Coordinates of all heavy atoms in Angstrom, one line a residue:
A111 N 0.8 -1.2 0.0 CA 0.0 0.0 0.0 C 0.9 1.3 0.0 O 0.5 2.3 -0.5 CB -0.9 0.0 1.2
S112 N 2.0 1.2 0.6 CA 2.9 2.4 0.7 C 3.4 2.8 -0.7 O 3.5 4.0 -1.0 CB 4.0 2.2 1.7 OG 4.8 1.1 1.2
S113 N 3.7 1.8 -1.5 CA 4.1 2.2 -2.9 C 3.0 2.8 -3.7 O 3.2 3.7 -4.5 CB 4.7 1.0 -3.6 OG 3.7 0.0 -3.8
M114 N 1.8 2.4 -3.5 CA 0.6 3.0 -4.1 C 0.4 4.4 -3.6 O 0.2 5.3 -4.4 CB -0.6 2.2 -3.9 CG -1.9 2.7 -4.6 SD -1.7 2.9 -6.4 CE -2.1 1.3 -6.9
S115 N 0.6 4.6 -2.3 CA 0.4 5.9 -1.7 C 1.5 6.9 -2.3 O 1.1 8.0 -2.6 CB 0.6 5.9 -0.2 OG -0.5 5.1 0.4
A116 N 2.7 6.4 -2.5 CA 3.7 7.2 -3.0 C 3.4 7.6 -4.5 O 3.6 8.8 -4.9 CB 5.1 6.5 -3.0
A117 N 2.9 6.6 -5.2 CA 2.5 6.9 -6.6 C 1.3 7.9 -6.7 O 1.4 8.8 -7.5 CB 2.1 5.6 -7.3
I118 N 0.4 7.8 -5.8 CA -0.7 8.7 -5.8 C -0.3 10.1 -5.5 O -0.7 11.1 -6.1 CB -1.8 8.3 -4.8 CG1 -2.5 7.0 -5.2 CG2 -2.9 9.4 -4.5 CD1 -3.3 6.3 -4.2
E119 N 0.6 10.3 -4.5 CA 1.1 11.6 -4.1 C 1.9 12.2 -5.3 O 1.8 13.4 -5.6 CB 2.0 11.5 -2.9 CG 1.2 11.2 -1.6 CD 0.0 12.2 -1.4 OE1 0.2 13.4 -1.5 OE2 -1.1 11.7 -1.2
K120 N 2.7 11.4 -6.0 CA 3.4 12.0 -7.2 C 2.5 12.4 -8.3 O 2.6 13.4 -8.9 CB 4.4 10.9 -7.7 CG 5.6 10.7 -6.8 CD 6.6 9.7 -7.4 CE 7.8 9.5 -6.5 NZ 8.7 8.5 -7.1
F121 N 1.4 11.6 -8.4 CA 0.4 11.9 -9.5 C -0.3 13.2 -9.1 O -0.6 14.0 -10.0 CB -0.5 10.7 -9.6 CG -1.4 10.8 -10.9 CD1 -0.8 10.8 -12.1 CD2 -2.8 10.9 -10.7 CE1 -1.6 10.9 -13.3 CE2 -3.6 11.0 -11.9 CZ -3.0 11.0 -13.1
K122 N -0.7 13.4 -7.8 CA -1.3 14.6 -7.4 C -0.5 15.8 -7.7 O -1.0 16.9 -8.1 CB -1.6 14.5 -5.9 CG -2.8 13.7 -5.5 CD -3.0 13.7 -4.0 CE -4.2 12.9 -3.6 NZ -4.3 12.9 -2.1
I123 N 0.8 15.7 -7.5 CA 1.7 16.8 -7.8 C 1.7 17.1 -9.3 O 1.6 18.3 -9.7 CB 3.2 16.5 -7.3 CG1 3.2 16.5 -5.8 CG2 4.2 17.5 -7.8 CD1 4.5 15.9 -5.2
Y124 N 1.7 16.1 -10.1 CA 1.6 16.3 -11.5 C 0.3 17.0 -11.9 O 0.3 17.9 -12.7 CB 1.7 14.9 -12.2 CG 1.5 15.0 -13.7 CD1 2.4 15.6 -14.6 CD2 0.2 14.7 -14.2 CE1 2.2 15.7 -15.9 CE2 0.0 14.8 -15.6 CZ 0.9 15.3 -16.4 OH 0.7 15.4 -17.8
L125 N -0.8 16.5 -11.3 CA -2.1 17.1 -11.6 C -2.3 18.5 -11.2 O -3.1 19.2 -11.8 CB -3.2 16.2 -11.0 CG -3.6 14.9 -11.6 CD1 -4.7 14.2 -10.9 CD2 -3.9 15.1 -13.1
E126 N -1.5 19.0 -10.3 CA -1.6 20.4 -9.9 C -1.3 21.3 -11.1 O -1.8 22.4 -11.2 CB -0.6 20.7 -8.8 CG -1.0 20.1 -7.4 CD 0.1 20.4 -6.4 OE1 1.0 21.1 -6.6 OE2 -0.1 19.8 -5.3
K127 N -0.5 20.8 -12.0 CA -0.1 21.6 -13.2 C -1.2 21.5 -14.3 O -1.1 22.2 -15.3 CB 1.2 21.1 -13.8 CG 2.3 21.2 -12.8 CD 3.6 20.5 -13.3 CE 4.6 20.3 -12.2 NZ 5.7 19.4 -12.6
V128 N -2.1 20.6 -14.2 CA -3.1 20.4 -15.2 C -4.4 21.1 -14.9 O -4.9 21.1 -13.8 CB -3.5 18.9 -15.4 CG1 -4.5 18.6 -16.4 CG2 -2.2 18.1 -15.6
D129 N -4.9 21.9 -15.9 CA -6.1 22.7 -15.7 C -7.3 21.9 -16.3 O -7.4 21.7 -17.5 CB -6.0 24.0 -16.5 CG -7.2 24.9 -16.3 OD1 -7.9 24.7 -15.3 OD2 -7.4 25.8 -17.1
F130 N -8.1 21.3 -15.4 CA -9.3 20.6 -15.9 C -10.5 21.6 -16.1 O -10.9 22.3 -15.1 CB -9.7 19.5 -14.8 CG -8.9 18.3 -14.9 CD1 -7.6 18.3 -14.5 CD2 -9.5 17.1 -15.2 CE1 -6.8 17.1 -14.5 CE2 -8.8 15.9 -15.3 CZ -7.4 15.9 -14.9
K131 N -11.0 21.7 -17.2 CA -12.1 22.6 -17.5 C -13.4 21.9 -17.3 O -13.5 20.6 -17.3 CB -12.1 23.0 -19.0 CG -10.8 23.6 -19.4 CD -10.7 25.0 -18.9 CE -9.5 25.7 -19.5 NZ -9.1 26.9 -18.8
D132 N -14.5 22.7 -17.0 CA -15.8 22.1 -17.0 C -16.2 21.6 -18.3 O -15.7 22.1 -19.3 CB -16.8 23.2 -16.5 CG -16.6 23.7 -15.1 OD1 -15.8 23.0 -14.4 OD2 -17.2 24.7 -14.7
I133 N -17.0 20.5 -18.4 CA -17.3 20.0 -19.7 C -18.8 20.2 -20.0 O -19.6 20.4 -19.1 CB -17.0 18.5 -19.7 CG1 -17.6 17.7 -18.6 CG2 -15.5 18.3 -19.7 CD1 -17.4 16.2 -18.6
A134 N -19.1 20.2 -21.3 CA -20.5 20.5 -21.7 C -21.5 19.4 -21.5 O -22.6 19.6 -21.1 CB -20.5 20.9 -23.2
L135 N -21.0 18.2 -21.7 CA -21.9 17.0 -21.5 C -21.5 16.2 -20.3 O -20.3 16.1 -20.0 CB -21.8 16.1 -22.7 CG -22.2 16.7 -24.1 CD1 -21.9 15.7 -25.2 CD2 -23.7 17.0 -24.0
P136 N -22.4 15.7 -19.5 CA -22.0 15.0 -18.3 C -21.2 13.7 -18.6 O -21.5 13.0 -19.6 CB -23.4 14.6 -17.7 CG -24.4 14.9 -18.7 CD -23.8 15.7 -19.8
L137 N -20.3 13.4 -17.7 CA -19.5 12.2 -17.8 C -19.8 11.4 -16.5 O -19.9 11.9 -15.4 CB -18.0 12.6 -17.8 CG -17.0 11.5 -17.8 CD1 -17.0 10.8 -19.1 CD2 -15.6 12.1 -17.4
M138 N -20.1 10.1 -16.7 CA -20.4 9.3 -15.6 C -19.2 8.9 -14.8 O -18.2 8.5 -15.4 CB -21.1 8.0 -16.1 CG -22.5 8.2 -16.7 SD -23.6 9.0 -15.6 CE -23.7 7.8 -14.2
S139 N -19.3 9.1 -13.5 CA -18.2 8.8 -12.6 C -18.2 7.3 -12.3 O -19.2 6.7 -11.9 CB -18.4 9.5 -11.3 OG -17.6 8.9 -10.3
N140 N -17.1 6.6 -12.6 CA -17.0 5.2 -12.2 C -16.8 5.0 -10.7 O -16.9 3.9 -10.2 CB -15.9 4.5 -13.0 CG -16.3 4.2 -14.4 OD1 -17.4 4.0 -14.7 ND2 -15.3 4.2 -15.3
V141 N -16.5 6.1 -10.0 CA -16.2 6.0 -8.6 C -17.5 6.2 -7.8 O -17.8 5.4 -6.9 CB -15.2 7.0 -8.2 CG1 -15.1 7.1 -6.6 CG2 -13.8 6.7 -8.8
T142 N -18.4 7.1 -8.3 CA -19.6 7.4 -7.5 C -20.9 6.8 -8.3 O -21.9 6.6 -7.6 CB -19.8 8.9 -7.3 OG1 -20.0 9.5 -8.6 CG2 -18.7 9.5 -6.6
G143 N -20.7 6.6 -9.5 CA -21.9 6.1 -10.3 C -22.8 7.3 -10.7 O -24.0 7.1 -11.1
L144 N -22.3 8.5 -10.5 CA -23.2 9.7 -10.8 C -22.5 10.6 -11.9 O -21.3 10.5 -12.1 CB -23.3 10.6 -9.5 CG -23.9 9.9 -8.3 CD1 -23.8 10.8 -7.1 CD2 -25.4 9.6 -8.6
P145 N -23.4 11.3 -12.6 CA -22.8 12.2 -13.6 C -22.1 13.4 -13.0 O -22.4 13.8 -11.9 CB -24.1 12.7 -14.4 CG -25.2 12.5 -13.4 CD -24.8 11.4 -12.5
M146 N -21.1 13.9 -13.7 CA -20.3 15.0 -13.3 C -19.9 15.9 -14.5 O -19.8 15.4 -15.6 CB -19.1 14.6 -12.5 CG -18.1 13.7 -13.2 SD -16.8 13.2 -12.2 CE -16.0 12.0 -13.2
Q147 N -19.7 17.2 -14.2 CA -19.4 18.1 -15.3 C -18.3 19.1 -14.9 O -17.7 19.7 -15.8 CB -20.6 18.8 -15.8 CG -21.5 18.0 -16.7 CD -22.7 18.7 -17.2 OE1 -23.8 18.6 -16.7 NE2 -22.5 19.4 -18.3
S148 N -18.1 19.3 -13.7 CA -17.1 20.3 -13.3 C -15.7 19.8 -13.4 O -15.4 18.6 -13.1 CB -17.4 20.8 -11.8 OG -16.7 20.0 -10.9
G149 N -14.8 20.7 -13.8 CA -13.4 20.4 -13.9 C -12.8 19.9 -12.6 O -12.0 19.0 -12.5
A150 N -13.2 20.5 -11.5 CA -12.7 20.2 -10.1 C -13.1 18.7 -9.8 O -12.3 18.0 -9.3 CB -13.3 21.1 -9.1
E151 N -14.4 18.4 -10.1 CA -14.8 17.0 -9.9 C -14.0 16.0 -10.7 O -13.6 14.9 -10.2 CB -16.3 16.8 -10.3 CG -17.3 17.4 -9.3 CD -18.7 17.1 -9.8 OE1 -19.0 17.6 -10.9 OE2 -19.5 16.5 -9.1
L152 N -13.8 16.3 -12.0 CA -13.0 15.4 -12.9 C -11.6 15.2 -12.4 O -11.1 14.1 -12.4 CB -13.0 16.0 -14.3 CG -14.4 16.1 -15.0 CD1 -14.2 17.0 -16.2 CD2 -14.9 14.8 -15.4
K153 N -11.0 16.3 -11.9 CA -9.6 16.2 -11.4 C -9.5 15.3 -10.2 O -8.7 14.4 -10.1 CB -9.1 17.6 -11.1 CG -7.6 17.7 -10.8 CD -7.2 19.1 -10.5 CE -6.0 19.4 -11.2 NZ -5.6 20.8 -11.0
E154 N -10.5 15.5 -9.3 CA -10.5 14.6 -8.1 C -10.8 13.2 -8.4 O -10.2 12.2 -7.8 CB -11.5 15.2 -7.1 CG -11.6 14.4 -5.8 CD -10.3 14.3 -5.0 OE1 -9.5 15.3 -5.0 OE2 -10.1 13.3 -4.3
E155 N -11.7 13.0 -9.4 CA -12.0 11.6 -9.8 C -10.8 10.8 -10.3 O -10.7 9.7 -10.1 CB -13.1 11.7 -10.9 CG -13.7 10.5 -11.4 CD -14.8 10.0 -10.5 OE1 -15.2 10.7 -9.6 OE2 -15.2 8.8 -10.7
V156 N -10.0 11.5 -11.1 CA -8.8 10.9 -11.6 C -8.0 10.3 -10.5 O -7.5 9.1 -10.6 CB -8.0 11.9 -12.5 CG1 -6.7 11.3 -12.9 CG2 -8.8 12.2 -13.7
V157 N -7.8 11.0 -9.4 CA -7.0 10.5 -8.3 C -7.7 9.4 -7.6 O -7.1 8.4 -7.2 CB -6.7 11.7 -7.3 CG1 -6.0 11.2 -6.1 CG2 -5.9 12.8 -8.0
Q158 N -9.0 9.5 -7.4 CA -9.8 8.4 -6.7 C -9.8 7.1 -7.4 O -9.9 6.1 -6.8 CB -11.2 8.9 -6.5 CG -11.3 10.0 -5.5 CD -12.8 10.4 -5.2 OE1 -13.7 9.7 -5.6 NE2 -13.0 11.6 -4.7
H159 N -9.6 7.1 -8.7 CA -9.5 5.9 -9.5 C -8.4 4.9 -9.1 O -8.5 3.7 -9.3 CB -9.4 6.1 -11.0 CG -10.8 6.2 -11.6 ND1 -11.5 5.2 -12.0 CD2 -11.5 7.3 -11.9 CE1 -12.6 5.5 -12.5 NE2 -12.7 6.9 -12.5
F160 N -7.4 5.5 -8.4 CA -6.3 4.6 -7.9 C -6.7 3.6 -6.9 O -6.2 2.5 -6.8 CB -5.2 5.5 -7.4 CG -4.2 6.1 -8.4 CD1 -4.4 7.4 -8.8 CD2 -3.2 5.3 -8.9 CE1 -3.5 7.9 -9.7 CE2 -2.3 5.8 -9.8 CZ -2.5 7.1 -10.2
T161 N -7.7 4.1 -6.0 CA -8.0 3.3 -4.8 C -9.4 2.9 -4.7 O -9.7 2.1 -3.8 CB -7.6 4.1 -3.5 OG1 -8.3 5.3 -3.5 CG2 -6.1 4.3 -3.5
Q162 N -10.3 3.4 -5.5 CA -11.7 3.2 -5.3 C -12.2 2.2 -6.4 O -11.8 2.2 -7.5 CB -12.5 4.5 -5.5 CG -12.2 5.5 -4.5 CD -12.4 5.0 -3.0 OE1 -13.5 4.5 -2.7 NE2 -11.4 5.2 -2.2
P163 N -13.1 1.3 -6.0 CA -13.7 0.3 -6.9 C -14.6 1.0 -7.9 O -15.2 2.0 -7.7 CB -14.5 -0.7 -6.0 CG -14.8 0.2 -4.8 CD -13.7 1.1 -4.6
V164 N -14.7 0.4 -9.1 CA -15.6 0.9 -10.1 C -17.0 0.5 -9.7 O -17.3 -0.6 -9.4 CB -15.2 0.3 -11.5 CG1 -16.3 0.6 -12.5 CG2 -13.9 0.7 -11.9
Q165 N -17.9 1.5 -9.8 CA -19.3 1.4 -9.5 C -20.1 1.2 -10.7 O -21.0 2.0 -11.1 CB -19.8 2.6 -8.7 CG -19.1 2.8 -7.4 CD -19.3 1.7 -6.4 OE1 -20.4 1.1 -6.3 NE2 -18.2 1.3 -5.7
W166 N -19.9 0.1 -11.4 CA -20.5 -0.2 -12.7 C -22.0 -0.3 -12.6 O -22.7 0.3 -13.4 CB -19.9 -1.4 -13.4 CG -20.4 -1.7 -14.7 CD1 -21.1 -2.8 -15.1 CD2 -20.3 -0.9 -15.9 NE1 -21.4 -2.8 -16.4 CE2 -21.0 -1.6 -16.9 CE3 -19.8 0.4 -16.1 CZ2 -21.1 -1.0 -18.2 CZ3 -19.9 0.9 -17.4 CH2 -20.5 0.2 -18.4
L167 N -22.5 -1.0 -11.7 CA -24.0 -1.2 -11.5 C -24.6 0.2 -11.2 O -25.7 0.5 -11.8 CB -24.3 -2.2 -10.4 CG -25.7 -2.5 -10.2 CD1 -26.4 -3.0 -11.5 CD2 -25.9 -3.5 -9.1
E168 N -24.0 1.0 -10.4 CA -24.6 2.3 -10.1 C -24.6 3.2 -11.3 O -25.5 4.0 -11.5 CB -23.8 3.0 -9.0 CG -23.8 2.3 -7.6 CD -25.3 2.1 -7.2 OE1 -26.1 3.0 -7.3 OE2 -25.6 1.0 -6.7
C169 N -23.5 3.1 -12.2 CA -23.5 3.9 -13.4 C -24.7 3.4 -14.3 O -25.4 4.3 -14.9 CB -22.2 3.6 -14.2 SG -20.8 4.5 -13.4
L170 N -24.9 2.1 -14.4 CA -26.0 1.6 -15.3 C -27.3 2.1 -14.8 O -28.2 2.5 -15.6 CB -25.9 0.1 -15.4 CG -24.7 -0.5 -16.2 CD1 -24.8 -2.0 -16.1 CD2 -24.7 0.0 -17.6
K171 N -27.5 2.1 -13.5 CA -28.8 2.5 -12.9 C -29.0 4.0 -13.2 O -30.2 4.4 -13.5 CB -28.8 2.3 -11.4 CG -28.9 0.9 -10.9 CD -28.9 0.8 -9.4 CE -28.9 -0.7 -9.0 NZ -28.7 -0.7 -7.5
A172 N -28.0 4.8 -13.1 CA -28.1 6.2 -13.4 C -28.4 6.5 -14.8 O -28.9 7.6 -15.2 CB -26.9 7.0 -12.9
L173 N -28.0 5.6 -15.7 CA -28.2 5.9 -17.2 C -29.5 5.4 -17.7 O -29.7 5.5 -18.9 CB -27.0 5.2 -17.9 CG -25.6 5.7 -17.6 CD1 -24.6 4.8 -18.3 CD2 -25.5 7.1 -18.2
H174 N -30.3 4.8 -16.9 CA -31.6 4.2 -17.4 C -32.5 5.2 -18.2 O -33.3 4.7 -19.0 CB -32.3 3.5 -16.3 CG -33.1 4.4 -15.4 ND1 -32.5 5.1 -14.4 CD2 -34.4 4.6 -15.4 CE1 -33.4 5.8 -13.8 NE2 -34.6 5.5 -14.4
T175 N -32.4 6.5 -17.9 CA -33.3 7.4 -18.6 C -32.6 8.0 -19.8 O -33.3 8.8 -20.5 CB -33.6 8.6 -17.6 OG1 -32.5 9.2 -17.2 CG2 -34.4 8.0 -16.4
C176 N -31.4 7.7 -20.1 CA -30.7 8.3 -21.3 C -31.2 7.6 -22.6 O -31.4 6.4 -22.7 CB -29.2 8.1 -21.2 SG -28.5 9.0 -19.8
D177 N -31.2 8.5 -23.6 CA -31.6 8.0 -25.0 C -30.4 7.6 -25.8 O -30.4 6.7 -26.6 CB -32.4 9.0 -25.7 CG -33.7 9.4 -25.1 OD1 -34.4 8.4 -24.6 OD2 -34.1 10.5 -25.2
V178 N -29.3 8.3 -25.5 CA -28.0 8.0 -26.3 C -26.9 7.9 -25.3 O -26.7 8.7 -24.4 CB -27.7 9.1 -27.3 CG1 -26.4 8.9 -28.0 CG2 -28.9 9.3 -28.3
L179 N -26.1 6.9 -25.5 CA -24.9 6.7 -24.6 C -23.6 6.6 -25.5 O -23.7 6.0 -26.6 CB -25.0 5.4 -23.8 CG -26.1 5.3 -22.8 CD1 -26.1 3.9 -22.2 CD2 -26.1 6.3 -21.8
L180 N -22.6 7.2 -25.1 CA -21.3 7.1 -25.8 C -20.2 6.6 -24.8 O -20.0 7.2 -23.8 CB -20.9 8.4 -26.3 CG -19.5 8.5 -27.0 CD1 -19.6 7.7 -28.3 CD2 -19.3 10.0 -27.4
S181 N -19.7 5.4 -25.1 CA -18.6 4.8 -24.3 C -17.2 5.1 -24.9 O -17.0 4.8 -26.1 CB -18.8 3.3 -24.2 OG -17.8 2.8 -23.4
V182 N -16.4 5.8 -24.1 CA -15.1 6.1 -24.6 C -14.0 5.4 -23.7 O -14.1 5.5 -22.5 CB -14.9 7.7 -24.6 CG1 -13.5 8.0 -25.1 CG2 -15.9 8.4 -25.4
G183 N -13.0 4.8 -24.4 CA -11.9 4.3 -23.6 C -11.9 2.9 -23.5 O -12.4 1.9 -23.5

């Protein structure tokens, strides 16, 4: 766990230099299973992916009202 913690801290330092902009269309969070659009949320989410499980079922539940889905990555 300590090597992962060290990697996370280094990554956080790197991310301080990156400007995450708010996005026009919502992006589903694999960490919370909820949509997000703010650059601040996106930046924090990238860090949380190191240690948090993917909430795939929660994402699917939140998407049930969508007419169009785009999966990237």
Side-chain angles (χ1 to χ4, degrees):
S112 62
S113 62
M114 182 58 83
S115 296
I118 292 169
E119 290 309 312
K120 287 180 182 180
F121 193 64
K122 283 181 181 179
I123 292 168
Y124 172 78
L125 283 181
E126 288 176 9
K127 302 171 190 169
V128 179
D129 184 23
F130 280 68
K131 304 285 187 196
D132 293 350
I133 56 176
L135 298 174
L137 178 71
M138 291 304 297
S139 163
N140 282 334
V141 172
T142 66
L144 300 171
M146 58 184 172
Q147 285 183 260
S148 87
E151 284 179 301
L152 294 166
K153 189 177 224 178
E154 180 59 31
E155 184 85 5
V156 169
V157 174
Q158 290 182 17
H159 269 278
F160 278 98
T161 58
Q162 300 300 311
V164 171
Q165 300 296 323
W166 182 241
L167 184 56
E168 296 305 316
C169 286
L170 290 178
K171 287 178 184 176
L173 295 171
H174 79 280
T175 61
C176 294
D177 293 326
V178 177
L179 301 174
L180 177 63
S181 178
V182 180

